Amino acid sequence: MSCGEPHETDCSEVLDHLYEFLDREMPAGDCVKFEVHFDECSPCLEKYGLEQAVKKLVKRCCGHDDVPTDLRSKVMGRIDLIRAGEAVPEQTVLEQAVADQQAAQADSGPAEGQAGSGKAASGKAASGKSQPGQPGARQVPGVDASTASARAADSA
């Protein structure tokens, strides 16, 4: 979107970084440039106002839910991996949480070996890949070996 008027800071740049501005995640100098732009450009100011209103509405309606501790730690772990430039598991944190929940339900379900237990066999992860060095162990994608070992020790 562009209002067609020349500005020191282009409308597309402002809109591309609007959420950084809203979340106060940009340098002070950039914030000043954006505020000047909003003073000059009513279409961008309108978009800013709309996004600000949506953000307030979401906070009011959804801001009271507590995040489960294990989910928070998994998300923070993924962020740390990304910041460190390490390989990130293909499975999303949400998919991993669902897999963990299904595994927990399977563990508390029928005895191992019965139909419908939902457990992966032969040391294969949910992705179907064998985990070297751990024959017969059930692995959850995105969970490192130390976490899997700790879980196994806790359940023993």
Side-chain angles (χ1 to χ4, degrees), residues 61-97:
C61 294
C62 305
H64 304 289
D65 296 334
D66 291 327
V67 177
T69 306
D70 61 330
L71 179 58
R72 179 177 170 74
S73 65
K74 288 175 186 175
V75 169
M76 295 308 292
R78 287 283 177 98
I79 291 171
D80 290 341
L81 285 175
I82 292 168
R83 285 183 178 158
E86 296 180 26
V88 179
E90 293 178 19
Q91 193 176 33
T92 67
V93 174
L94 179 59
E95 291 168 340
Q96 180 180 340

Side-chain angles (χ1 to χ4, degrees), residues 50-71:
L50 176 64
E51 295 301 329
Q52 188 177 38
V54 168
K55 184 176 175 173
K56 285 181 182 178
L57 179 64
V58 169
K59 183 178 182 179
R60 189 180 79 220
C61 294
C62 305
H64 304 289
D65 296 334
D66 291 327
V67 177
T69 306
D70 61 330
L71 179 58

Side-chain angles (χ1 to χ4, degrees), residues 6 21 23 37 40 46 53 76 87 93 109 125 137 141-142 150:
F21 178 79
D23 295 338
H37 184 91
E40 300 172 349
E46 184 178 334
M76 295 308 292
V93 174

